[in-house]
Amino acid sequence: MADLEAFRQEAREWLEANCPDEMRQPMQSEADAVWGGKKFKFSEPQKLWLDRMAEKGWTVPEWPTEYGGGGLSKEEAKILREEMRRINARVPLQSFGIWMLGPALLKYGTHEQKLEHLPPIARGEIRWAQGYSEPNAGSDLASLMTKCEDKGDHYIVNGQKIWTSYADKADWIFVLVRTDFEASKHNGISFILVDMDQPGVTTKPIKLISGASPFCETFFDDARAEKHNLVGELNRGWDVAKYLLTHEREMIGGMGSGGMRPMGDVAVQQVGLNEASQLADPFLRADVARAEIDGMAFMFTMERVADEAKAGQGTGANSSVLKYYGTEFNKRRLELMMDSSGSEGLEWGGEEDVARGWLRSKGNSIEGGTSEVQLNIIAKRILQLPSA
Amino acid sequence: MADLEAFRQEAREWLEANCPDEMRQPMQSEADAVWGGKKFKFSEPQKLWLDRMAEKGWTVPEWPTEYGGGGLSKEEAKILREEMRRINARVPLQSFGIWMLGPALLKYGTHEQKLEHLPPIARGEIRWAQGYSEPNAGSDLASLMTKCEDKGDHYIVNGQKIWTSYADKADWIFVLVRTDFEASKHNGISFILVDMDQPGVTTKPIKLISGASPFCETFFDDARAEKHNLVGELNRGWDVAKYLLTHEREMIGGMGSGGMRPMGDVAVQQVGLNEASQLADPFLRADVARAEIDGMAFMFTMERVADEAKAGQGTGANSSVLKYYGTEFNKRRLELMMDSSGSEGLEWGGEEDVARGWLRSKGNSIEGGTSEVQLNIIAKRILQLPSA
Amino acid sequence: MAMVLNEEAGMLKDAAKGFLTDSAPVSQLRKLRDEKSEDGFDRKTWSAMAEMGWTSVLVPEAHGGVEMGYVAAGVIAEEMGRTLTASPFLSTAIMGATAFSRFGSDAQKSEWLPRIAAGDAITALAVDESGKHSPSKVTATAERSGNGFKLNGKKTFVAEGHVADMLIVSARTAGSEAEAEGITLFLVPRDAAGVAVERSDMVDSRNSARITLDNVEVTADAVLGEVDGGLKALEGILDAGRAGLSAEMSGSAQQCLETTADYLKERKQFGAIIGTFQALQHRAAHLYSEVELGKSIVLKALQTLDVAPDHAALLVCAAKAKMGQVAQLATQEALQMHGGIGMTDEFDIGFFMKRVRVAEALYGDANFHADKFARMRNY
Amino acid sequence: MAMVLNEEAGMLKDAAKGFLTDSAPVSQLRKLRDEKSEDGFDRKTWSAMAEMGWTSVLVPEAHGGVEMGYVAAGVIAEEMGRTLTASPFLSTAIMGATAFSRFGSDAQKSEWLPRIAAGDAITALAVDESGKHSPSKVTATAERSGNGFKLNGKKTFVAEGHVADMLIVSARTAGSEAEAEGITLFLVPRDAAGVAVERSDMVDSRNSARITLDNVEVTADAVLGEVDGGLKALEGILDAGRAGLSAEMSGSAQQCLETTADYLKERKQFGAIIGTFQALQHRAAHLYSEVELGKSIVLKALQTLDVAPDHAALLVCAAKAKMGQVAQLATQEALQMHGGIGMTDEFDIGFFMKRVRVAEALYGDANFHADKFARMRNY
């Protein structure tokens, strides 16, 4: 305990001394997020803050120091987060490398793979994309057909991925490929890392109904991949993919809560109160109150699932409950925000732009495993209902 | 048109002269309904009214006169109903014979069968029960196993039926039986009429959660059926059954509307209004208004489906929409009645007894083909979605 | 009145479907959006509609119209909902024609109805002043000034406001902000001095405008209906518009349902046509049932506008509330069942989702109408 | 505080499940109903509960209790919800103990808490006066009379009212009908002169009574908490009861879900186990998710009652609203998925549906609590 207090003191002093003032202001929009990578345009304070944090290993506090991490314990990492929040320090680096590839490499990668790929992630030098879905393999991810052939000292990849987040801004991509077309669906898949800086890899942004293009189509046309960049065993890539999907599910499910303005407050601001000090639209009031109660129950469910996991109780399949309920709830929340905003919320490019968030939310229950897939998982893994 | 006016005049005068005063009072409860049959205890005015109406053939106004009907046209029958409503005349006779067996016999029966069975139905002398469901053939009605064997000059029936409405009060029963165990599921079924006044047929009432026992189990133990009482072709009973199910579906679906006190009125009476003259429970108000709107839309859908049928438009499968929505709506309506009534509605044997109606409504979406079966039908017949 | 389309309406429906599918499909709206059309609708298509008599569907024969009625107008609106055709049909052929034929003076009728019938004039109703619809909440003022009135105030969410020739504006001639009495309707030419119109960029890529009135002078002839008693006419015009929007949403909901059912019959996942999955079948079947209910209440509302317009308010209220809810369910289910492709701008589902949201909000959303319904039913 | 049961609570849960499943399953309630038990609960079972320490779970150690807290009380209530065990646990061990330990005078504590702990006394809260719960709507009166008070009025929906030794009654000492101020709580022995108790025949076959107070005289010592300021204590006692009911409903919902999942694995229709039908799978999975949410908010409410009872109101409100809605969904889905057999009295689902409806209505239904939640959040 004394050690932890000492760590807190040290962290506090270091942050106070090293976090630039500009990095202590709340982010104004998604555009203020630092994603890193070769193509990223840093502001000076962003770069300074990232470099200083990466130097300490604190962009990935719990990773081992030899791979660019801070080597902190869970408790220390928690203290670091608390101290960062204390001064409103921004997260120095967001990345799929940190959230997704990193954990997978730490679990399934070789020492050499970790040494090669983890430090550049921690320093924000390489930005990663995820190559999972294909046009004919959406919910049924395992039916993917992107082909990876063994050419002796290297692999050649051919095929098309879709829904690759920010692929047009990424440097490398981790890809699920089929390495055995004879094996049963789940058994011929491998997990491989591909450098996107080659002619064989091209990307095309997909414009969404929200007007933004956070996703791309990614084409592999005789793209080369090195043999040492195969993660896990050949044809056993599905294990890695499943491990990652669970991570992703929790990440997306969690969007249904936290950090958002309470619906009731937004509604009051938009619609106003009547003489009885109640929301002037009584039907909206009923919908908002019921939704806020559900949102509260969902938030505590996230907390409980985490606490149960810590205590070694509970079931891993609960991540499907969080993904399902969290994304459906987020859609409902944004429908209510639209109800609150009336015609103002229907303007395109308005200041608050609730409409774009509303439209974007519709994808939550599709990406990372649709709601239908989550319900299948709950029915089968938790309720143990039989398959047809 | 002149003929119709003459008919109206004649009907009006006859009703005025012949409908007993007691039969012009609204029914106080389900117990006032006249079901007829050998075991039925008539009050004097009930019997008088039934006999007079049966004499005119007006218990079944549109059936042919030779089978005990009134031989009226659709238009005349409508006028008769209007004139009866004008003086609040009660329906002289309710019966599954009129609603279900009659239409089936008129369509599938021989002249002899009609002559034998329809007039006693019209006069309320014989009360019929329906023997369809079996303990292991609920939604999957066609998997029924009640056996009917050919014994030369007669049949012998063995097996068990369940959910036979008022079987303990009925005289005869129309039964779906299996006459060919080799044929495919739908092809070995026959439709047969069985006299219940024999030792081989016994009944046992089923007590429901609502406390009432409108249904029975019915046991056939070497029960005898006459050969001339087979309706339709041998092994083609499924056609008759399907025809009847459509009738039943519409009947049950229709319970979701008409003749009931508006939900809003009930809620106001129970919960009261606030200073703004709005229902004092604002959440209940929202639920009730939305439900009343749905109820209105449902009522007009019944009207539209009927008008489309008259005009030769529309699809027969729409009866599944009415059954599905009508019964689900009725359940919702009664949940709202319970919400309105609070603890008073939770008393058992209270005057209004909303609780019994509430519990009874839960069966609506099960009997006559579950909601799930109706949705299957809509998906397949109307939307033409493929089978697995 | 039987709840079926008569032969005339049936023929109109076929003709409308044919024309709109060929000449004004969703791709036309997409093009107008992508090319940032200033008009926000296609004038050639609008002229063709006028030639077919659509602009005169509610104009009395005496004023050059075909006077087919609200059911017929609804048939056209419904088909437009299927193709998302952008046009001033709602603002002008439905609401403008209703305004003049039901509430206009003889002079106003003679001046405007023939022009509407001919497709020569576009009208727009300027009612809302804030994000939420509330027709009696009027702060725009009209002060007596000489023989006429001087108007001041702001209006928002004015459909077709920036392309209209004539604005129908609600303003307060007496009473206080939320009072029902004291509201008057005025005819204000869009190019009158003191009128500023700014087009809003809406999520559905359709026309909507903010309007500012700065000492706009009009004569006494500019009053539509009664001075101080304008709310009745305003509600009459709005109800025509609400019924039209309900019919439009009905068309959109049907289109989304059909497109989705087709997709379910094609798309394969997990080695099977996804339309064989019972969970999706049941959701599609439930949606079908809801769409059927919506169609019924909309038809009833339109029929009532034809035969007893003064008694149509409750039904219009129910229709707008129900259809708004059903159409949103339809777009949401359509998008989810299409999966990722439904999220792309390239695909049409997003256009339906956006337009339905706007149509749902315009002239009162489902909550507004359900609340009004409850009040009309005395609870 | 981690949202998991600690070891002690976990052991209590196992013990409770074992005892209730063996000694007080649903068949006990059925028997009590069929035999028209006058008590409405089984006194032997109640004594056994007292021996196991359940009646003292909220009684401080100083007064002979085990003082395990609200989470522990909730664990017992939840298991009772699984077996539908009828007993005065809620009225006495939860609400009676809360009333005296949090709001009683020293004398009241010393007199009543040991008796509650020992299972020797049954208490009942008499708050409602009409079909809908509204604690501040009090018309029963208590007039000063000599050194004490004279009570008049009627109460309804009093759980355990006809078997209670002591009634806790809200009455108005000042103010008008719906005012928050002016309410006082009184301890009124059930056998006091002027008290008439009539048992109501309830749909859940559990105990509920109508109580009439006709010039009932009590001394000043009979006041629980503050004169005129009794609403705070009343809400405190109610919140304990509401949390207990929420835990009970959580148990019932879980039991319905599990029974249904088991049935889906067994029942065959159309040549297949019905649990393979995806539509039913998705509905069961959705129900599972809702039950999980309900469990979380109930646990949080109970934990907050333990650590910060004065700040638990909003969470209790949310828990009762959410769990009421979830438990009703659970009983409705269970019945529908069981089909015809679920409708029979012979099967247990009906008992769950009936009890959940009563538990949902008792001390405020989901609408009451959602409305209160909105008011507490200032909208």
Side-chain angles (χ1 to χ4, degrees):
Chain A
M1 280 309 249
D3 284 356
L4 287 180
E5 263 324 294
F7 175 76
R8 185 185 295 277
Q9 198 50 42
E10 178 202 321
R12 183 175 297 189
E13 282 166 18
W14 187 90
L15 289 168
E16 202 53 80
N18 287 281
C19 184
D21 282 348
E22 296 89 339
M23 294 295 100
R24 302 185 190 197
Q25 312 303 322
M27 298 206 296
Q28 291 305 306
S29 75
E30 183 53 27
D32 283 342
V34 173
W35 287 88
K38 296 182 193 168
K39 302 169 192 164
F40 194 80
K41 303 250 179 298
F42 293 92
S43 72
E44 218 165 295
Q46 285 177 338
K47 190 77 174 79
L48 191 65
W49 177 225
L50 171 59
D51 287 347
R52 285 174 177 172
M53 284 290 274
E55 176 81 12
K56 297 278 284 184
W58 285 0
T59 52
V60 283
E62 292 178 59
W63 289 10
T65 48
E66 64 183 316
Y67 304 135
L72 302 190
S73 68
K74 264 193 168 32
E75 292 72 23
E76 288 168 333
K78 189 167 167 242
I79 287 171
L80 176 59
R81 281 195 301 273
E82 287 166 5
E83 290 303 316
M84 286 175 67
R85 263 202 302 274
R86 208 183 59 84
I87 61 165
N88 294 317
R90 290 190 194 169
V91 173
L93 179 63
Q94 313 199 39
S95 104
F96 295 122
I98 293 176
W99 301 326
M100 306 185 75
L101 181 61
L105 278 183
L106 284 168
K107 188 170 166 80
Y108 291 96
T110 61
H111 178 59
E112 289 69 29
Q113 287 173 334
K114 293 176 195 170
L115 270 185
E116 177 181 353
H117 295 293
L118 294 181
I121 289 174
R123 292 193 299 266
E125 292 166 2
I126 296 295
R127 182 168 179 178
W128 284 86
Q130 179 198 49
Y132 272 28
S133 293
E134 298 182 7
N136 291 309
S139 287
D140 183 14
L141 183 58
S143 70
L144 59 93
M145 298 298 282
T146 292
K147 186 157 97 183
C148 176
E149 290 165 286
D150 189 334
K151 294 289 178 184
D153 68 332
H154 67 281
Y155 294 113
I156 287 294
V157 180
N158 278 287
Q160 183 191 347
K161 293 287 172 182
I162 196 166
W163 310 121
T164 37
S165 307
Y166 304 114
D168 54 334
K169 302 187 172 77
D171 307 305
W172 278 67
I173 184 167
F174 49 99
V175 192
L176 282 179
V177 291
R178 188 159 298 282
T179 36
D180 184 348
F181 279 79
E182 307 300 314
S184 74
K185 196 159 85 168
H186 295 86
N187 287 323
I189 293 171
S190 299
F191 189 101
I192 195 160
L193 313 179
V194 179
D195 188 344
M196 297 178 79
D197 188 9
Q198 58 171 312
V201 182
T202 51
T203 62
K204 187 177 151 203
I206 302 168
K207 189 172 167 198
L208 291 192
I209 57 175
S210 58
S213 299
F215 300 107
C216 293
E217 292 177 280
T218 302
F219 302 91
F220 297 89
D221 193 8
D222 283 340
R224 181 186 168 108
E226 303 309 323
K227 287 224 146 169
H228 66 265
N229 278 328
L230 183 81
V231 179
E233 283 176 54
L234 187 72
N235 295 329
R236 301 293 300 162
W238 188 244
D239 297 341
V240 189
K242 268 197 306 185
Y243 176 76
L244 267 187
L245 280 176
T246 308
H247 264 257
E248 189 183 5
R249 226 182 267 155
E250 285 170 7
M251 218 170 74
I252 298 175
M255 302 190 332
S257 73
M260 296 162 315
R261 277 183 69 200
M263 276 176 269
D265 293 0
V266 175
V268 168
Q269 187 196 319
Q270 296 286 342
V271 179
L273 298 173
N274 65 15
E275 321 75 52
S277 297
Q278 297 182 348
L279 199 60
D281 178 339
F283 286 62
L284 180 64
R285 178 171 177 265
D287 291 344
V288 166
R290 286 167 174 167
E292 284 207 329
I293 289 169
D294 284 348
M296 203 178 242
F298 178 70
M299 194 176 72
F300 293 133
T301 303
M302 290 203 294
E303 189 179 329
R304 183 166 65 85
V305 167
D307 287 346
E308 284 178 351
K310 265 185 227 154
Q313 304 171 5
T315 154
N318 268 332
S319 69
S320 286
V321 173
L322 299 184
K323 165 70 165 81
Y324 164 63
Y325 212 101
T327 57
E328 294 295 336
F329 179 75
N330 200 42
K331 292 196 296 183
R332 181 171 154 213
R333 185 180 69 82
L334 281 153
E335 288 289 346
L336 289 173
M337 295 294 86
M338 291 296 286
D339 286 345
S340 300
S341 306
S343 62
E344 286 173 21
L346 293 165
E347 294 198 36
W348 201 230
E351 272 177 41
E352 305 244 327
D353 231 350
V354 53
R356 281 178 209 272
W358 161 63
L359 290 163
R360 180 63 188 86
S361 75
K362 299 300 176 194
N364 299 158
S365 53
I366 297 168
E367 60 210 338
T370 62
S371 285
E372 291 75 18
V373 166
Q374 307 312 323
L375 289 171
N376 286 342
I377 293 173
I378 297 167
K380 280 168 195 163
R381 299 227 197 114
I382 303 183
L383 298 175
Q384 309 268 325
L385 294 179
S387 294
Chain B
M1 281 310 248
D3 285 354
L4 287 180
E5 263 324 295
F7 176 77
R8 184 186 295 279
Q9 197 52 40
E10 178 203 320
R12 182 174 298 190
E13 284 165 19
W14 187 89
L15 289 168
E16 201 56 78
N18 287 281
C19 184
D21 282 348
E22 296 88 339
M23 296 294 100
R24 300 185 191 197
Q25 313 304 322
M27 296 206 297
Q28 292 306 306
S29 75
E30 181 54 28
D32 283 341
V34 173
W35 288 88
K38 294 182 193 166
K39 303 170 193 164
F40 194 80
K41 304 248 179 298
F42 293 93
S43 73
E44 218 166 296
Q46 285 178 339
K47 188 77 176 78
L48 190 67
W49 177 225
L50 171 59
D51 287 347
R52 285 175 177 170
M53 284 290 275
E55 176 82 11
K56 297 278 285 183
W58 285 0
T59 52
V60 284
E62 291 178 60
W63 290 11
T65 49
E66 63 182 318
Y67 305 135
L72 302 189
S73 68
K74 265 194 168 36
E75 293 71 23
E76 288 168 332
K78 188 167 167 239
I79 287 170
L80 176 60
R81 282 194 302 273
E82 287 166 5
E83 290 303 316
M84 285 175 69
R85 263 203 301 275
R86 207 183 61 85
I87 61 164
N88 294 315
R90 291 190 194 169
V91 173
L93 179 63
Q94 314 199 38
S95 104
F96 294 121
I98 294 176
W99 300 327
M100 307 184 76
L101 180 62
L105 278 184
L106 285 167
K107 188 170 168 78
Y108 292 96
T110 61
H111 177 59
E112 288 70 28
Q113 286 173 334
K114 293 177 196 168
L115 271 187
E116 177 181 352
H117 295 293
L118 293 180
I121 290 174
R123 291 194 299 267
E125 292 165 1
I126 295 296
R127 182 166 180 180
W128 285 84
Q130 179 197 49
Y132 272 27
S133 294
E134 298 182 7
N136 291 309
S139 287
D140 183 14
L141 182 57
S143 70
L144 59 94
M145 298 298 282
T146 293
K147 186 158 98 183
C148 177
E149 290 165 285
D150 190 334
K151 295 288 177 183
D153 69 331
H154 67 279
Y155 294 112
I156 288 295
V157 180
N158 277 287
Q160 182 191 348
K161 293 288 173 182
I162 196 168
W163 309 122
T164 38
S165 307
Y166 304 114
D168 53 335
K169 302 187 174 78
D171 307 305
W172 278 66
I173 183 166
F174 49 99
V175 193
L176 283 180
V177 291
R178 189 159 297 282
T179 36
D180 184 349
F181 279 80
E182 307 301 313
S184 73
K185 195 158 86 167
H186 295 85
N187 287 323
I189 293 171
S190 298
F191 188 100
I192 195 159
L193 313 179
V194 179
D195 188 345
M196 297 177 79
D197 188 10
Q198 57 171 311
V201 183
T202 51
T203 62
K204 187 179 153 202
I206 302 167
K207 190 172 165 196
L208 290 192
I209 57 175
S210 58
S213 299
F215 299 109
C216 293
E217 292 177 280
T218 303
F219 302 90
F220 298 89
D221 191 9
D222 283 340
R224 182 186 168 107
E226 303 308 323
K227 287 222 144 168
H228 66 265
N229 278 328
L230 183 81
V231 179
E233 283 175 56
L234 187 71
N235 294 328
R236 301 295 300 160
W238 188 246
D239 297 343
V240 188
K242 268 197 307 187
Y243 176 75
L244 268 187
L245 280 175
T246 308
H247 264 256
E248 189 183 4
R249 230 182 263 155
E250 285 170 5
M251 218 170 71
I252 299 176
M255 302 189 333
S257 74
M260 295 162 316
R261 278 182 68 200
M263 276 176 271
D265 292 0
V266 176
V268 168
Q269 187 197 319
Q270 296 287 343
V271 180
L273 298 172
N274 65 15
E275 321 75 55
S277 297
Q278 297 183 348
L279 199 59
D281 178 339
F283 286 62
L284 180 64
R285 178 172 178 264
D287 292 344
V288 166
R290 286 166 174 167
E292 284 207 330
I293 289 169
D294 285 347
M296 202 178 241
F298 177 71
M299 194 176 72
F300 293 133
T301 304
M302 289 203 295
E303 189 177 331
R304 183 166 65 85
V305 167
D307 287 347
E308 284 178 352
K310 266 185 227 155
Q313 304 170 4
T315 155
N318 268 332
S319 69
S320 286
V321 173
L322 300 184
K323 166 70 166 80
Y324 163 62
Y325 211 101
T327 58
E328 294 295 337
F329 178 75
N330 199 42
K331 292 196 295 183
R332 181 170 154 214
R333 184 179 70 81
L334 280 153
E335 288 288 346
L336 289 172
M337 294 295 86
M338 291 296 287
D339 287 344
S340 299
S341 306
S343 61
E344 285 173 22
L346 293 165
E347 294 198 36
W348 201 232
E351 272 177 40
E352 306 245 325
D353 231 349
V354 53
R356 281 178 209 272
W358 162 63
L359 289 163
R360 180 63 188 85
S361 74
K362 299 302 176 193
N364 299 159
S365 53
I366 296 169
E367 60 210 342
T370 62
S371 285
E372 291 74 20
V373 166
Q374 307 311 323
L375 290 170
N376 285 342
I377 293 174
I378 297 166
K380 280 167 196 165
R381 297 225 200 116
I382 303 182
L383 298 176
Q384 309 268 325
L385 295 179
S387 294
Chain C
M1 189 190 273
M3 290 191 68
V4 286
L5 293 186
N6 62 23
E7 207 188 321
E8 191 187 49
M11 283 168 55
L12 177 62
K13 188 181 179 74
D14 292 340
K17 190 188 285 291
F19 173 79
L20 294 166
T21 311
D22 291 345
S23 307
V26 183
S27 56
Q28 186 187 67
L29 175 63
R30 180 187 291 277
K31 193 158 166 261
L32 289 165
R33 178 195 72 172
D34 291 346
E35 294 178 352
K36 300 196 186 346
S37 155
E38 275 191 27
D39 284 338
F41 70 102
D42 183 67
R43 289 198 183 262
K44 269 189 207 156
T45 307
W46 180 236
S47 300
M49 290 179 189
E51 271 165 40
M52 291 184 292
W54 295 4
T55 48
S56 72
V57 68
L58 291 177
V59 174
E61 290 180 17
H63 296 285
V66 295
E67 202 175 3
M68 288 177 75
Y70 288 95
V71 170
V75 159
I76 298 171
E78 185 178 320
E79 292 305 321
M80 288 177 166
R82 284 180 171 274
T83 50
L84 298 182
T85 304
S87 87
F89 181 76
L90 180 82
S91 79
T92 305
I94 292 186
M95 298 173 72
T98 298
F100 291 110
S101 67
R102 284 192 60 200
F103 307 104
S105 65
D106 288 344
Q108 287 166 341
K109 284 181 188 172
S110 302
E111 183 179 358
W112 287 101
L113 288 172
R115 291 188 60 191
I116 288 175
D120 284 345
I122 293 173
T123 64
L125 180 71
V127 52
D128 287 346
E129 301 188 350
S130 75
K132 298 290 272 184
H133 181 66
S134 183
S136 59
K137 246 191 196 164
V138 178
T139 59
T141 54
E143 285 170 66
R144 296 237 176 227
S145 161
N147 225 359
F149 296 84
K150 194 191 285 176
L151 278 66
N152 279 288
K154 283 173 199 262
K155 296 285 175 179
T156 184
F157 207 23
V158 181
E160 314 302 334
H162 86 293
V163 291
D165 302 292
M166 181 56 82
L167 304 169
I168 302 169
V169 180
S170 61
R172 195 159 278 293
T173 38
S176 61
E177 186 182 335
E179 246 177 272
E181 287 299 303
I183 296 167
T184 307
L185 293 184
F186 293 93
L187 299 178
V188 180
R190 192 195 41 161
D191 56 10
V195 175
V197 181
E198 178 201 1
R199 186 179 178 193
S200 313
D201 193 11
M202 300 300 282
V203 69
D204 66 344
S205 310
R206 294 275 278 269
N207 284 338
S208 184
R210 284 197 163 74
I211 290 175
T212 310
L213 305 166
D214 184 12
N215 287 320
V216 178
E217 310 243 4
V218 295
T219 65
D221 294 345
V223 172
L224 183 79
E226 286 172 40
V227 173
D228 290 352
L231 190 60
K232 185 173 171 289
L234 178 57
E235 285 290 351
I237 300 166
L238 281 169
D239 275 350
R242 290 159 178 160
L245 284 164
S246 302
E248 185 197 318
M249 288 192 285
S250 176
S252 297
Q254 291 172 54
Q255 189 62 42
C256 285
L257 172 64
E258 288 165 24
T259 305
T260 303
D262 287 345
Y263 187 72
L264 292 179
K265 288 170 204 165
E266 277 168 23
R267 170 79 171 166
K268 270 195 178 184
Q269 291 275 277
F270 304 105
I273 301 281
I274 63 173
T276 62
F277 297 146
Q278 198 197 31
L280 299 186
Q281 290 186 344
H282 280 199
R283 277 162 56 184
H286 172 73
L287 177 59
Y288 174 84
S289 305
E290 290 283 6
V291 169
E292 287 299 302
L293 260 73
K295 279 160 70 175
S296 308
I297 187 86
V298 171
L299 179 57
K300 196 73 177 184
L302 291 164
Q303 287 185 336
T304 309
L305 279 172
D306 276 331
V307 298
D310 288 336
H311 298 92
L314 186 78
L315 285 162
V316 168
C317 205
K320 184 80 167 41
K322 179 69 187 165
M323 203 64 238
Q325 170 250 320
V326 172
Q328 291 193 81
L329 178 70
T331 57
Q332 289 163 12
E333 284 289 68
L335 196 149
Q336 178 70 20
M337 291 199 208
H338 275 83
I341 194 177
M343 280 297 291
T344 63
D345 184 70
E346 200 185 337
F347 204 71
D348 288 344
I349 290 283
F351 281 79
F352 283 91
M353 180 168 271
K354 292 166 182 171
R355 173 58 188 168
V356 162
R357 246 298 168 187
V358 174
E360 204 273 333
L362 194 55
Y363 310 137
D365 63 11
N367 285 341
F368 172 90
H369 286 290
D371 182 64
K372 185 176 164 192
F373 181 93
R375 279 186 282 114
M376 291 178 83
R377 302 276 276 198
N378 301 311
Y379 61 83
Chain D
M1 190 190 274
M3 290 191 68
V4 285
L5 292 186
N6 61 23
E7 208 187 323
E8 191 187 49
M11 284 168 57
L12 177 63
K13 187 181 180 74
D14 292 340
K17 189 188 286 291
F19 174 79
L20 294 166
T21 310
D22 290 345
S23 307
V26 183
S27 56
Q28 186 187 69
L29 175 64
R30 181 187 291 276
K31 194 158 165 260
L32 289 165
R33 178 195 73 172
D34 291 346
E35 295 177 352
K36 301 196 184 350
S37 155
E38 276 193 24
D39 284 338
F41 69 103
D42 184 65
R43 289 201 184 259
K44 269 190 208 155
T45 308
W46 180 236
S47 299
M49 290 180 188
E51 271 165 43
M52 290 184 294
W54 295 5
T55 48
S56 71
V57 68
L58 292 176
V59 174
E61 290 181 16
H63 295 286
V66 296
E67 202 174 3
M68 288 177 73
Y70 288 95
V71 169
V75 160
I76 298 171
E78 185 178 320
E79 292 305 320
M80 288 177 167
R82 283 180 171 273
T83 51
L84 298 183
T85 304
S87 87
F89 181 76
L90 180 82
S91 78
T92 305
I94 292 187
M95 298 173 71
T98 298
F100 291 111
S101 68
R102 282 193 59 200
F103 306 104
S105 65
D106 287 344
Q108 288 166 342
K109 283 181 188 171
S110 301
E111 183 181 357
W112 288 100
L113 288 172
R115 292 188 61 192
I116 289 175
D120 285 343
I122 294 173
T123 64
L125 180 72
V127 51
D128 287 346
E129 300 188 350
S130 76
K132 298 290 273 184
H133 181 66
S134 183
S136 59
K137 247 192 194 161
V138 178
T139 61
T141 54
E143 286 170 66
R144 296 241 176 222
S145 160
N147 223 359
F149 295 84
K150 194 191 286 175
L151 277 67
N152 279 287
K154 283 173 200 265
K155 296 287 174 176
T156 185
F157 207 23
V158 182
E160 313 303 333
H162 86 293
V163 290
D165 302 291
M166 180 56 82
L167 304 169
I168 302 169
V169 180
S170 62
R172 193 158 281 291
T173 38
S176 61
E177 186 181 333
E179 245 176 271
E181 286 298 304
I183 295 168
T184 307
L185 293 184
F186 293 92
L187 299 177
V188 180
R190 192 195 39 160
D191 56 10
V195 175
V197 181
E198 179 201 0
R199 187 179 176 192
S200 314
D201 193 11
M202 301 300 282
V203 70
D204 66 344
S205 310
R206 293 276 277 269
N207 285 338
S208 184
R210 285 196 162 75
I211 289 176
T212 310
L213 305 165
D214 184 12
N215 287 319
V216 178
E217 309 243 5
V218 295
T219 65
D221 293 345
V223 172
L224 183 80
E226 286 172 41
V227 173
D228 290 353
L231 190 61
K232 185 172 171 288
L234 179 58
E235 284 291 352
I237 301 166
L238 282 169
D239 275 350
R242 290 159 178 160
L245 284 163
S246 302
E248 186 197 316
M249 288 192 286
S250 175
S252 298
Q254 292 172 54
Q255 188 62 43
C256 286
L257 171 64
E258 289 165 23
T259 305
T260 303
D262 287 345
Y263 187 74
L264 293 178
K265 287 170 204 166
E266 276 169 23
R267 170 81 171 165
K268 271 196 176 182
Q269 290 275 278
F270 304 105
I273 301 281
I274 63 173
T276 62
F277 296 147
Q278 198 197 31
L280 298 187
Q281 289 186 344
H282 280 200
R283 277 160 57 184
H286 172 73
L287 177 59
Y288 174 84
S289 306
E290 289 284 6
V291 169
E292 287 299 303
L293 260 74
K295 279 160 70 175
S296 308
I297 187 86
V298 170
L299 179 58
K300 197 71 176 186
L302 291 165
Q303 288 185 337
T304 309
L305 278 172
D306 276 331
V307 298
D310 288 336
H311 298 91
L314 186 78
L315 285 163
V316 169
C317 204
K320 185 79 169 39
K322 179 67 186 167
M323 202 63 238
Q325 170 250 320
V326 172
Q328 291 194 83
L329 178 70
T331 56
Q332 289 163 10
E333 285 288 67
L335 197 148
Q336 178 70 18
M337 292 199 208
H338 275 82
I341 194 177
M343 280 296 291
T344 63
D345 183 70
E346 201 184 335
F347 204 70
D348 288 343
I349 289 282
F351 282 78
F352 282 92
M353 179 168 273
K354 293 166 181 173
R355 173 57 188 169
V356 161
R357 246 297 168 187
V358 174
E360 204 272 332
L362 194 56
Y363 311 138
D365 63 11
N367 285 341
F368 172 90
H369 286 289
D371 182 62
K372 185 176 164 190
F373 181 93
R375 280 186 280 115
M376 290 177 83
R377 303 276 277 198
N378 302 311
Y379 63 82

